[in-house]
Amino acid sequence: MTWKILSSLAAGLLCGFFLRVPEGEIVGLAPDLALAALVFAVGFSLGEDEQLWAKVKALPKALLAVPFLIAAGSILGAVAVGPLCSVPPAEAALVGAGFGWYSLSGVLVSQSCGAALGTLTLLANIFRETLAILFTAVVAKRFGNAVAVAPGGATAMDVTLPIVAASTDPQTALLAFYSGTVLSILVPIVIPFLAKLVH
Amino acid sequence: MALMIGALILGFAAGRCRLLPDFLRSKVSAMGSLALIVLLFTLGLSMGSDEQIIAALPVLGLKAVLLAVGTVMGSVLLVWGATRLGGRRR
């Protein structure tokens, strides 16, 4: 899937670079429909997973708050470094609310706030996934197992799950899956909400 | 915004309540992947068509690295703080 994501993005980039399509001609009904179809598919795969509920019930109650702390921490952290790179708070918050899911957050932000901010969201969340791959083991060792779920954000349910599992214990792997799932659901809810603050 | 949340809830309900016939169920994730590819192509298209974005890519990249570090540090700090508070209470 990763090469499909990168090659479709690269193909679009090259076509755009050589054909110079005016912004107005790209936006139409198609992106909206495709976005709805994508989000529908995300919801569908989550709803279909019957074991999901049994898995969540097996977790200690206190850990259920973890994804919401990660969501708040990601947004606040992005807003906090905003002044260092002259990104206004509302825009930084949007970038942070990708929670590492670069493909969905990139397209969501570009649809509602334009390609420039969409590009920043895409890149920042690609880097977040990269940082998570590099530092999850270090975070687990230094800050404890539950904290190792934080760097990956939404990717803790797929891309970074094996890394969390390898550097912690089975219960934390379960927490990673749960946390990544909740954050994935939050991306298409929080981004449109924050996008209203930018306008 | 309503469209996104509606699509998410509808998808979730359709998956949970098995509303789709078997032959369609396996097609949903393929449809999602196709939609994602179309969307990323259009995002690439608008990135590539915009001279200002192409020119700003190095700057955007640097900003993106800083923001990514911020999101990771923020989320690690909050969860770490909460686990420490929780540990002390016990």
Side-chain angles (χ1 to χ4, degrees), chain B residues 3 8 11 18 22 35 41 44 52 60 67 74 81-82 84:
Chain B
L3 181 72
L8 189 70
R18 313 223 161 257
D22 279 346
F41 181 80
Q52 285 179 321
L60 280 178
L67 287 168
R84 293 209 41 160

Side-chain angles (χ1 to χ4, degrees), chain B residues 11-45:
Chain B
F12 193 85
R16 189 97 180 98
C17 309
R18 313 223 161 257
L19 293 182
L20 297 182
D22 279 346
F23 74 98
L24 271 181
R25 225 186 307 150
S26 55
K27 302 281 189 295
V28 172
S29 84
M31 175 194 77
S33 306
L34 184 70
L36 182 60
I37 285 168
V38 169
L39 286 165
L40 284 166
F41 181 80
T42 55
L43 174 56
L45 206 57

Side-chain angles (χ1 to χ4, degrees), chain A residues 76-167:
Chain A
L76 292 174
V79 171
V81 297
L84 295 179
C85 45
S86 54
V87 176
E91 295 186 6
L94 262 179
V95 172
F99 307 140
W101 192 357
Y102 58 85
S103 50
L104 182 65
S105 60
V107 295
L108 277 173
V109 172
S110 74
Q111 292 297 317
S112 49
C113 303
L117 195 53
T119 307
L120 184 63
T121 306
L122 178 86
L123 291 174
N125 284 285
I126 289 176
F127 292 137
R128 175 173 189 167
E129 188 183 284
T130 314
L131 286 172
I133 291 168
L134 294 175
F135 292 111
T136 292
V138 181
V139 170
K141 219 170 185 175
R142 178 76 183 75
F143 298 101
N145 281 349
V147 188
V149 172
T155 72
M157 70 180 287
D158 42 51
V159 181
T160 54
L161 179 60
I163 303 166
V164 174
S167 36

